[in-house]
Amino acid sequence: MFRSNVLVCGGTGCTSSHSDEIVARLNDELAKQGLSEEVNVVRTGCFGLCALGPIVIVYPEGSFYSMVTPDDVPEIVSEHLLKGRIVKRLLYKETIVDDNTTKSLNETQFYAKQKRIALRNCGVVNPEVIDEYIARDGYQALGKVLTEMTPEQVIDEILASGLRGRGGAGFPTGLKWKFARPNQADQKYVCCNADEGDPGAFMDRSVLEGDPHVVLEAMAIAGYAIGATQGYIYIRAEYPIAVDRLRIAIQQAREYGLLGKDIFGTGFDFDIDLRLGAGAFVCGEETALMTSIEGKRGEPRVRPPFPAVKGLFAKPTVLNNVETYANIPQIILNGADWFKSMGTEKSAGTKVFALGGKINNTGLVEVPMGTTLRTIVEEIGGGIPNGHKFKAAQTGGPSGGCIPEALADVEVDYDNLIAIGSMMGSGGLIVMDETTCMVDIAKFFLEFTVDESCGKCTPCRIGTKRLLEILDKITSGKGTLEDIEKAEELCEYIKANSLCGLGQTAPNPVLSTLRYYRDEYLAHVTEKKCPAGACKALLNYSIVADKCKGCTLCARNCPVGAINGKVREVHTIDVDKCVKCGVCMSNCKFGAIVKE
């Protein structure tokens, strides 16, 4: 029994900031101080508050150290772990009450309004040790369904829970399983979508890095429910930590008899294999994903038939994403009513969001469905940095839409987001302030979908390209009022005629920004100005004569020599040479350079 446990975040974000080196230094310093037998160092998954990583938590005190560097380790070991003195300079400031008192993480602004179900083990267990998962009720749900429930009862429980797919569409999970159950075949499959290609999204990756066994257990439960014996996890190769931990988890589960033949001595066989994707966004669409698993070019198929009838290798298949599966074991153990007690009437449970953009508390959050956008941004997210104002939030990634500040009190669930022109998506939530141009942000997401289109259908392949050309024209100051009308007409055509969800939802960022920020489009077209000052082609930098001191700092830093003037004389900017990089403005100490 260890007297102290030191938990170190081993998610991708903290790993990129040297958390592996922190673990190594901790073990070295503990050995030097003779504490290796008393203190246990645990590499966990993501704690959620990525903005403050690398994170180290020491238990039983619960001391939350943030932005730790390898050089901080000797002090943590010698002061805290050896002498019992908390290193106050490293504490997360929100946990400090006064000089002698700290509060728990659950009392801090970031964590207080969260409810962790899918993330319940992330940042708590060592994801590479199956015994730690088992100690947290792991694989009990699988044991329960195999020994106490019929497949039909499992499906009924998931149906009753109201769990909807967390991958974006929000289709009832139990209904999908129910459709696959009666279809007779010599082989059925259970697939997991871990492709997660949305810009700014890292929810599924974090679950797999922090709690891989929950997905394996849930897939085995799904296999039992529909009569499948083989599962596949389709994960993008850009997630090396998640891939490694999944491989370790699968091997451990096989060694424990929790995957493979005759699980729990019930005669039920189920195994799981990994398939690595090359990073194509379109392979997040279920039929394209299955086509890719089959070793073919990842392109969507015409539906019907749906995968429950004819899916992977033309066999009945169920496919859910990582977060959906992460809820299954807890629903089985706690019951459908427990799950339905959270969230809203039509959107039960919780939702994980990757909170990013212009926000103080960048990270991973899990909140009950129905939590307002304002609560997520201003309370959990800590508001907007640098004194700027909240302008909009993009949900659903390239498939979603922008929600204006005026609608910040909307309760976030599937139906409410669709009603205001956005969608839940897989859970990316990008926050924007008044320095963000809404025309430019629509163009950014459209550039992504144009690049990621598989090209199989004409509306998506050509339509999105033409739409992007219109937005390019508008942001470069060459747009007309007719271009806005053409863009709207083209959006509706692409939505109505594209083969799969990628093309059908690609116009959403454009339509939502036209709906709520049409005045910005009009300013770009009629005034040839970008109200947010973000579109370079519409910017001009000038020097205010009565503020310029002639210090020459702007001229000396201009990369293209576009600023003229002598020492102690008013300087001028040659607009023909200026590349609008803003270096002059950022270097001026007198506020003499303005952006128009």
Side-chain angles (χ1 to χ4, degrees):
M1 178 69 70
F2 296 99
R3 66 169 173 84
S4 295
N5 287 283
V6 183
L7 276 57
V8 182
C9 176
T12 293
C14 288
T15 298
S16 69
S17 299
H18 311 292
S19 67
D20 280 350
E21 188 177 342
I22 290 170
V23 171
R25 289 285 296 272
L26 276 166
N27 286 321
D28 288 345
E29 291 295 325
L30 289 170
K32 290 178 184 178
Q33 299 288 353
L35 297 175
S36 297
E37 300 300 318
E38 300 178 43
V39 179
N40 182 35
V41 179
V42 181
R43 184 189 281 106
T44 71
C46 179
F47 290 106
L49 195 46
C50 303
L52 296 181
I55 292 169
V56 175
I57 304 181
V58 180
Y59 288 104
E61 297 89 339
S63 301
F64 187 108
Y65 294 130
S66 62
M67 303 183 77
V68 178
T69 70
D71 290 338
D72 294 321
V73 171
E75 185 178 2
I76 293 173
V77 173
S78 64
E79 289 297 306
H80 189 155
L81 298 172
L82 181 63
K83 301 173 185 176
R85 302 170 182 167
I86 293 174
V87 185
K88 292 182 180 178
R89 71 176 183 85
L90 295 174
L91 285 177
Y92 171 36
K93 65 179 181 179
E94 291 291 327
T95 65
I96 302 173
V97 178
D98 54 44
D99 287 342
N100 300 309
T101 313
T102 61
K103 58 186 176 182
S104 71
L105 285 181
N106 291 333
E107 297 176 281
T108 63
Q109 181 172 284
F110 182 77
Y111 291 100
K113 295 193 175 181
Q114 293 193 48
K115 177 69 175 178
R116 292 164 76 90
I117 297 175
L119 300 178
R120 65 186 290 271
N121 287 330
C122 293
V124 177
V125 303
N126 184 337
E128 298 182 15
V129 178
I130 189 173
D131 296 307
E132 295 201 16
Y133 178 69
I134 291 172
R136 297 268 297 173
D137 299 330
Y139 291 105
Q140 283 196 19
L142 178 58
K144 180 179 178 179
V145 302
L146 293 183
T147 60
E148 300 177 22
M149 302 173 73
T150 65
E152 290 76 16
Q153 287 174 326
V154 174
I155 292 172
D156 288 343
E157 192 73 16
I158 302 303
L159 268 172
S161 73
L163 175 65
R164 296 172 66 171
R166 293 332 195 216
F171 190 81
T173 303
L175 196 57
K176 185 180 287 188
W177 293 13
K178 186 176 182 179
F179 288 156
R181 171 69 189 169
N183 296 321
Q184 298 300 312
D186 58 347
Q187 178 68 61
K188 295 182 181 180
Y189 296 102
V190 172
C191 291
C192 174
N193 180 356
D195 192 56
E196 194 174 48
D198 293 18
F202 52 95
M203 305 77 56
D204 291 350
R205 185 195 72 198
S206 296
V207 172
L208 293 172
E209 290 177 350
D211 193 16
H213 284 283
V214 73
V215 175
L216 307 187
E217 182 178 13
M219 290 178 68
I221 292 170
Y224 174 72
I226 73 164
T229 60
Q230 178 63 48
Y232 289 99
I233 299 176
Y234 186 85
I235 180 170
R236 55 180 44 219
E238 292 98 325
Y239 287 178
I241 296 175
V243 171
D244 288 344
R245 289 178 181 168
L246 273 173
R247 284 175 173 154
I248 291 169
I250 290 171
Q251 183 59 36
Q252 290 175 341
R254 287 170 179 165
E255 291 172 357
Y256 273 52
L258 299 168
L259 286 179
K261 300 289 186 181
D262 194 25
I263 300 173
F264 285 114
T266 61
F268 173 62
D269 301 339
F270 189 80
D271 205 355
I272 295 174
D273 289 308
L274 298 184
R275 291 293 183 269
L276 271 58
F281 180 61
V282 73
C283 287
E285 194 277 338
E286 62 179 4
T287 61
L289 184 153
M290 294 175 197
T291 304
S292 182
I293 290 177
E294 294 169 358
K296 304 169 187 173
R297 179 185 174 91
E299 294 180 334
R301 304 168 183 166
V302 176
R303 297 177 300 176
F306 292 95
V309 177
K310 188 178 180 181
L312 183 62
F313 300 115
K315 305 292 184 181
T317 305
V318 154
L319 181 142
N320 295 109
N321 86 320
V322 170
E323 187 186 341
T324 308
Y325 283 125
N327 285 283
I328 298 296
Q330 289 302 300
I331 292 173
I332 296 297
L333 290 178
N334 297 295
D337 290 341
W338 165 81
F339 191 76
K340 288 183 69 175
S341 69
M342 296 168 282
T344 63
E345 182 180 354
K346 294 183 179 180
S347 299
T350 61
K351 183 71 189 76
V352 179
F353 290 99
L355 195 56
K358 306 292 182 64
I359 191 80
N360 281 309
N361 295 336
T362 301
L364 202 65
V365 305
E366 184 173 4
V367 295
M369 290 280 195
T371 301
T372 67
L373 181 62
R374 191 180 303 280
T375 296
I376 296 172
V377 172
E378 296 183 359
E379 295 184 36
I380 298 172
I384 315 301
N386 303 318
H388 291 299
K389 295 179 180 179
F390 172 46
K391 181 176 183 177
Q394 169 87 3
T395 63
S399 303
C402 293
I403 304 169
E405 191 277 336
L407 296 177
D409 292 310
V410 65
E411 294 185 348
V412 176
D413 68 11
Y414 291 100
D415 302 307
N416 285 342
L417 291 185
I418 290 173
I420 61 175
S422 188
M423 63 183 293
M424 186 73 73
S426 58
L429 201 162
I430 309 298
V431 180
M432 292 161 269
D433 63 18
E434 73 268 25
T435 65
T436 304
C437 170
M438 304 312 292
V439 187
D440 187 59
I441 202 71
K443 187 176 80 168
F444 166 78
F445 283 112
L446 195 60
E447 284 173 339
F448 179 84
T449 49
V450 166
D451 189 52
E452 293 293 337
S453 173
C454 73
K456 185 173 183 177
C457 71
T458 304
C460 181
R461 182 182 70 250
I462 297 178
T464 56
K465 181 66 175 175
R466 296 291 87 84
L467 186 58
L468 178 59
E469 288 171 355
I470 293 174
L471 293 190
D472 232 354
K473 187 178 175 184
I474 292 173
T475 55
S476 63
K478 301 173 183 177
T480 64
L481 292 175
E482 289 75 17
D483 287 322
I484 297 177
E485 294 177 8
K486 287 179 183 177
E488 286 183 292
E489 183 180 352
L490 192 52
C491 283
E492 297 300 336
Y493 178 83
I494 295 168
K495 282 175 68 72
N497 295 284
S498 292
L499 176 60
C500 80
L502 186 149
Q504 292 162 8
T505 59
N508 284 350
V510 181
L511 288 171
S512 66
T513 50
L514 277 168
R515 179 177 178 179
Y516 297 115
Y517 298 97
R518 182 176 286 267
D519 58 327
E520 291 197 24
Y521 281 84
L522 292 174
H524 282 71
V525 168
T526 60
E527 301 174 35
K528 307 303 179 185
K529 288 185 178 180
C530 174
C535 296
K536 283 189 176 182
L538 301 179
L539 290 182
N540 281 306
Y541 288 89
S542 61
I543 296 177
V544 181
D546 59 358
K547 288 186 177 182
C548 180
K549 307 298 181 183
C551 70
T552 75
L553 194 60
C554 58
R556 283 183 280 132
N557 283 279
C558 179
V560 292
I563 301 178
N564 304 305
K566 297 179 180 179
V567 178
R568 296 189 181 89
E569 293 184 1
V570 175
H571 284 47
T572 59
I573 298 176
D574 186 336
V575 294
D576 293 327
K577 286 185 178 180
C578 179
V579 293
K580 304 171 184 179
C581 64
V583 170
C584 57
M585 188 174 180
S586 61
N587 277 278
C588 182
K589 297 179 179 180
F590 306 102
I593 300 177
V594 294
K595 182 169 63 173
E596 301 172 330

